[in-house]
């Protein structure tokens, strides 16, 4: 996997004696590749590994951590899938496995899947969603640019189609909330808000499909979205937050099906 950089060499030499390593990685239970993952996690969290740093070569890392090279390769595949590292072919500084900045899409995807799979109580997810969307819509009211406002306007116009199937309305609804988050100007708030909202897309769609009063609900949802847009466009952060919270709470109550 190539030679490590000068900083990477220092990391190699410290690997076996770093704080907590022997107890938390070598001696910890679990599969061999998890030992490698824990080693990388610890180094990133401690600041010993940063974006652009090379990891030790595969053979050397396997020797230091007392695992097989196949375990190192499996760990690297996992980290690549998460967007944490990239591997380059070549000798010297041009090659090897390098720590990269995690793309926001990868972070959002991981969060989405974890929220969807963890089976959190829906009320808990709604509470967190309200807190996040209040934050993001308030920031959007302060930071949204003309292009982002135009995107929101386009989504509202698409939702106005009276013949729109429930599935398409739900997709546009999700896209609207994600677009508000994108206009916040805070990358972490954007990704967290988007992940939570997108994790709710299918549960909301399921409620949409089973709802008898769909024709009565849709105009209310459209009005709510229009109010959110108006507050964002006029820069009224407090109003935008109040409208967003009221919208989320009332929409979920409307979608709650007894039994």
């Amino acid at each position: 996997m190539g030679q490590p950089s000068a900083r990477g060499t220092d990391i190699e030499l410290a690997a076996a004696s770093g704080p907590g390593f022997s107890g938390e990685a070598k001696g910890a239970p679990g599969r061999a590749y998890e030992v490698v993952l824990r080693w990388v996690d610890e180094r990133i969290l401690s600041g010993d590994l940063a974006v652009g740093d090379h990891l030790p070569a595969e053979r050397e890392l396997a020797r230091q951590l007392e695992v097989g090279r196949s375990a190192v390769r499996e760990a690297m595949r996992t980290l690549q899938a998460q967007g944490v590292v990239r591997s380059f072919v070549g000798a010297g500084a041009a090659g090897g496995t390098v720590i990269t900045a995690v793309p926001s899409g990868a972070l959002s995807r991981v969060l989405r899947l974890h929220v969807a799979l963890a089976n959190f109580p829906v009320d808990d997810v709604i509470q967190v969603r309200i807190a996040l969307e209040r934050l993001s819509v308030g920031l959007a009211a302060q930071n949204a640019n003309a292009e982002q406002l135009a995107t929101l306007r386009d989504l509202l116009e698409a939702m106005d189609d009276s013949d729109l199937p429930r599935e398409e309305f739900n997709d546009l609804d999700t896209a609207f909330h994600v677009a508000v988050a994108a206009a916040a100007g805070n990358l972490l708030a954007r990704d967290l808000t988007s992940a939570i909202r997108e994790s709710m897309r299918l549960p909301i769609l399921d409620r949409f499909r089973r709802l008898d009063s769909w024709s009565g609900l849709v105009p209310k949802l459209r009005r709510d979205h229009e109010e959110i847009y108006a507050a964002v466009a006029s820069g009224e952060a407090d109003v935008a937050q109040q409208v967003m919270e009221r919208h989320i709470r009332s929409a979920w109550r409307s979608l709650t099906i007894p039994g």
Side-chain angles (χ1 to χ4, degrees), residues 18-220:
F21 174 69
S22 60
E24 294 174 17
K26 266 189 182 178
R31 289 169 290 185
Y33 84 96
E34 293 173 337
V35 172
V36 184
L37 292 177
R38 280 194 294 272
W39 184 88
V40 175
D41 286 350
E42 290 167 9
R43 274 19 189 208
I44 290 174
L45 294 173
S46 69
D48 290 331
L49 279 175
V51 174
D53 285 342
H54 283 66
L55 292 180
E58 180 183 294
R59 183 191 301 275
E60 180 59 21
L61 192 54
R63 183 189 65 78
Q64 290 176 19
L65 303 186
E66 298 179 3
V67 298
R69 293 178 66 174
S70 62
V72 175
R73 286 193 291 273
E74 186 173 358
M76 292 307 112
R77 283 194 293 269
T78 298
L79 293 169
Q80 280 186 292
Q82 294 171 349
V84 176
V85 303
R86 290 185 65 189
S87 293
F88 298 92
V89 177
T97 301
V98 180
I99 301 293
T100 63
V102 178
S104 61
L107 174 61
S108 182
R109 179 173 178 273
V110 169
L111 286 170
R112 251 192 344 262
L113 294 176
H114 277 290
V115 171
L117 292 172
N119 293 319
F120 294 116
V122 171
D123 288 345
D124 289 359
V125 179
I126 295 295
Q127 267 190 317
V128 174
R129 183 187 164 197
I130 288 169
L132 287 170
E133 295 216 36
R134 279 184 62 94
L135 171 64
S136 63
V137 79
L139 290 171
Q142 298 169 16
N143 300 319
N145 59 37
E147 182 179 354
Q148 291 164 333
L149 290 174
T151 296
L152 292 172
R153 186 73 258 164
D154 289 344
L155 289 167
L156 290 176
E157 290 175 2
M159 277 188 276
D160 273 343
D161 183 352
S162 59
D163 295 324
L164 204 62
R166 300 183 190 198
E167 292 82 356
E168 290 184 31
F169 185 93
N170 183 51
D171 288 342
L172 290 167
D173 189 330
T174 301
F176 178 83
H177 285 268
V178 171
V180 169
N186 180 307
L187 297 181
L188 185 56
R190 179 197 68 190
D191 288 350
L192 291 172
T193 303
S194 298
I196 293 291
R197 180 59 182 85
E198 291 187 4
S199 74
M200 291 295 295
R201 186 177 65 84
L202 291 180
I204 290 173
L205 178 58
D206 179 60
R207 302 294 178 95
F208 278 176
R209 286 170 172 160
R210 294 191 290 148
L211 198 65
D212 293 331
S213 56
W214 173 251
S215 61
L217 175 63
V218 171
K220 173 66 168 62

